[in-house]
């Protein structure tokens, strides 16, 4: 079988693959709990109605589509990042 030529990035992954070890069931459950806690903290519990420029909204929708997410989710994530950033 012919070996496919890898890019530098792919080769670095191939070289480091032995460094990864399976996690224990307890570690997996701890990660699941941490994710659940984070999601609970970020539960959306407020409604916001705003007026924005149509061209801005169209551009946001286009960027969200390119990322494969819903545009309202994309906008909420942008607002969260701005609001969570310390001064």
């Amino acid at each position: 079988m012919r070996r496919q030529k890898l890019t530098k990035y792919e080769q670095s992954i191939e070289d480091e693959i032995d460094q990864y070890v399976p996690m224990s069931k307890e570690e997996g459950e701890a990660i699941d709990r941490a994710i659940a806690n984070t999601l609970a903290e970020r539960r959306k519990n407020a409604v916001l109605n705003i007026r924005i420029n149509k061209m801005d909204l169209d551009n946001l929708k286009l960027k969200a589509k390119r990322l494969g997410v819903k545009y309202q989710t994309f906008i909420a994530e942008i607002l969260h990042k701005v609001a969570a950033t310390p001064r």
Side-chain angles (χ1 to χ4, degrees):
M1 187 166 95
R2 190 171 154 211
R3 183 171 166 99
Q4 185 173 359
K5 183 164 172 62
L6 302 176
T7 66
K8 287 182 181 180
Y9 175 69
E10 292 167 335
Q11 187 61 52
S12 71
I13 293 171
E14 183 86 11
D15 294 341
E16 295 174 7
I17 198 74
D18 293 333
Q19 296 178 11
Y20 296 98
V21 294
M23 71 175 70
S24 69
K25 183 177 179 181
E26 292 80 19
E27 289 174 312
E29 290 171 351
I31 291 170
D32 289 343
R33 283 192 300 277
I35 291 170
N37 289 340
T38 300
L39 293 175
E41 291 171 3
R42 294 196 50 201
R43 184 171 294 123
K44 295 173 182 151
N45 56 5
V47 176
L48 173 66
N49 293 311
I50 62 171
R51 292 184 178 274
I52 66 170
N53 179 287
K54 182 177 179 343
M55 191 181 327
D56 291 340
L57 180 59
D58 291 342
N59 287 335
L60 286 167
K61 286 181 177 181
L62 181 62
K63 288 181 180 187
K65 186 175 184 177
R66 286 183 186 153
L67 293 171
V69 297
K70 296 177 181 177
Y71 79 93
Q72 290 179 340
T73 302
F74 180 63
I75 292 170
E77 198 59 34
I78 291 169
L79 291 173
H80 173 73
K81 286 183 180 183
V82 171
T85 304
R87 289 183 176 198

